[in-house]
Amino acid sequence: MAELAARVRRRSEGHPGRFLLGIAGPPGAGKSTLARGIRDELNLAAGATIADVAPMDGFHLTSAQMRAAGILDRKGEPDTFDADGYVALLRTLRDTALGTPVSWPTYDRDIHEPVPGGVVFDRQSIVVTEGNYLLLDDRAHPAWAPVRPLLDETWYLDAPRRIIEQRLLRRHIRGGRTPEAARTKVAHSDLRNAALVESTRTRADLVLRKAGRGYRFD
């Protein structure tokens, strides 16, 4: 983790405004854990809060919105997020001077809803944003195409399919689904999302895979 954080520090030195690092990867790969680890290493080394995490999950549509649109059972797929809102706020983070607060939504896995203003960027010069669709750039999902150009560096976090499946099953069961409903969600939605995200792997600047307590470059 320290080596990865040092890479970010080197890339961000002398960068005008905020430096935006994007961490993409399939659901269940461990993106949130990596993003928090990078943030914590950067802040520890600096002795100050110079970095924070801006999760893509904060742009989930609400359950009420998805229910009204008849897409609640597909939650997590590309069109169940406010991609336009995500792009707009990423651009705001890039364009806003340090010291001017910018609120960013997060996601609460206990209530399964986005939380407005979950994190506020102020003096933080490094933003770590993580999510499935940061590298998506095709005609089927044009709303996501503007994301990659807004990021100064992108990483892809890979994970074996069996590990992803196990993690997602546990996540859905902890979230209140029955084991049968969790298996259906994973098989018919999550793994399809994972296949889509895997097709974006080659667009990343760096590909990582968890190895023991650290990460290795693929």
Side-chain angles (χ1 to χ4, degrees):
M1 191 72 76
E3 182 180 351
L4 290 171
R7 176 188 173 104
V8 178
R9 282 198 305 274
R10 290 194 301 270
R11 295 290 196 277
S12 65
E13 286 174 358
H15 189 275
R18 289 191 172 92
F19 180 89
L20 272 60
L21 168 67
I23 301 177
K31 300 181 296 298
S32 298
T33 300
L34 175 58
R36 290 192 298 266
I38 293 295
R39 174 199 63 193
D40 293 347
E41 284 284 347
L42 287 167
N43 292 339
L44 180 64
T49 303
I50 64 168
D52 214 334
V53 177
M56 190 196 85
D57 275 357
F59 290 86
H60 269 289
L61 299 178
T62 66
S63 295
Q65 288 173 313
M66 285 185 277
R67 191 175 295 110
I71 58 173
L72 185 58
D73 60 329
R74 296 196 295 102
K75 186 173 184 175
E77 297 185 19
D79 63 336
T80 66
F81 290 85
D82 176 12
D84 291 338
Y86 177 64
V87 169
L89 202 51
L90 272 182
R91 189 170 285 116
T92 297
L93 278 178
R94 285 193 67 92
D95 296 344
T96 301
L98 298 182
T100 300
V102 177
S103 295
W104 189 278
T106 54
Y107 186 78
D108 189 322
R109 290 196 179 278
D110 290 328
I111 62 173
H112 309 291
E113 295 285 4
V115 179
V119 61
V120 177
F121 289 85
D122 189 351
R123 302 299 307 177
Q124 300 96 316
S125 59
I126 299 175
V127 176
V128 185
T129 187
E130 54 84 15
N132 298 344
Y133 306 122
L134 277 55
L135 300 173
L136 203 58
D137 184 13
D138 60 26
R139 293 180 181 177
H141 306 95
W144 292 100
V147 174
R148 177 64 184 87
L150 291 171
L151 303 174
D152 297 296
E153 175 151 318
T154 56
W155 299 352
Y156 183 93
L157 180 57
D158 213 346
R161 180 61 63 89
R162 61 180 178 80
I163 298 297
I164 289 174
E165 196 168 350
Q166 290 168 1
R167 288 174 178 171
L168 291 172
L169 281 171
R170 289 197 297 267
R171 179 185 296 177
H172 291 317
I173 291 170
R174 285 198 305 269
R177 294 178 187 264
T178 66
E180 182 179 357
R183 285 191 292 270
T184 298
K185 173 66 173 172
V186 170
H188 297 292
S189 181
D190 292 331
L191 294 184
R192 186 169 64 233
N193 295 343
L196 172 64
V197 174
E198 284 164 8
S199 72
T200 71
R201 187 178 190 269
T202 58
R203 299 186 186 125
D205 298 305
L206 186 69
V207 177
L208 301 169
R209 185 181 288 261
K210 191 83 171 69
R213 299 181 65 182
Y215 297 86
R216 65 176 174 82
F217 301 166
D218 271 7

